[in-house]
Amino acid sequence: MTRAPERTDLLKELGLDVQNHATLGRVLGTGKIGRASEGSDGRMQATIRINEDELMWDPSILVMPHGGDIDLELVNDDKNTHCALLPSNGDRKFIWLVNHSRGRATLNLDGPGYYWYSSPTGNDEGRGLTGAIVVLGDAPPEARLDRPEQPQP
């Protein structure tokens, strides 16, 4: 997890602070950035929580070092009921999180990119309960467009 002074450095290190890179760091301007931990088998784990009276995911940006499977533990420490609508290849995952509860989800995010998650209950999304999972890496050669090299800024 990041504290405010560390946020700028971490955004820069991960490429989330400049145009035409992983610009998501500018979109989600609040909250913390977390990194998924990786086991010896390559499977990743992370915990995402909703702290009491904050109405934001903690972390609001979760960074995976590469595509693959991730086991998430979702914790609702808030006094209100929320849910989590999570991305996963093949099908989304929905976890209902009553107040002071926890749930688990296994996701498969096999390609690099931004994967958004939220709580579509009530007006949670409109009030800021949205987050992202950023999967680092490049698209595999077979997924790249067959076109000439493009100039990069």
Side-chain angles (χ1 to χ4, degrees):
M1 303 298 171
T2 56
R3 292 185 174 31
E6 300 165 349
R7 182 178 172 84
T8 303
D9 292 336
L10 186 55
L11 287 172
K12 183 174 179 138
E13 176 188 335
L14 296 170
L16 298 173
D17 66 337
V18 292
Q19 185 175 1
N20 294 332
H21 284 80
T23 57
L24 188 63
R26 290 185 178 182
V27 176
L28 297 172
T30 59
K32 296 177 183 173
I33 301 170
R35 294 183 193 218
S37 62
E38 186 173 4
S40 59
D41 60 353
R43 191 173 194 90
M44 292 163 270
Q45 305 84 29
T47 299
I48 300 173
R49 68 179 56 242
I50 302 168
N51 295 315
E52 187 173 339
D53 295 331
E54 289 187 10
L55 202 60
M56 65 186 330
W57 298 105
D58 182 10
S60 60
I61 301 172
L62 177 64
V63 179
M64 293 173 55
H66 56 79
D69 293 324
I70 184 166
D71 297 316
L72 290 180
E73 181 174 20
L74 300 143
V75 181
N76 181 8
D77 288 331
D78 199 17
K79 296 175 188 172
N80 294 304
T81 297
H82 303 287
C83 66
L85 183 59
L86 301 157
S88 185
N89 291 337
D91 198 9
R92 293 193 207 189
K93 308 289 181 169
F94 182 86
I95 307 291
W96 192 250
L97 296 166
V98 298
N99 48 328
H100 298 289
S101 69
R102 61 184 56 225
R104 294 185 184 275
T106 298
L107 311 179
N108 178 270
L109 303 172
D110 64 356
Y114 314 138
Y115 298 85
W116 298 90
Y117 62 96
S118 66
S119 173
T121 305
N123 189 27
D124 283 356
E125 289 175 319
R127 294 171 47 209
L129 198 51
T130 59
I133 300 171
V134 176
V135 179
L136 300 178
D138 288 326
E142 65 272 13
R144 295 181 187 161
L145 296 175
D146 184 21
R147 63 181 188 174
E149 285 289 322
Q150 301 296 306
Q152 299 293 317

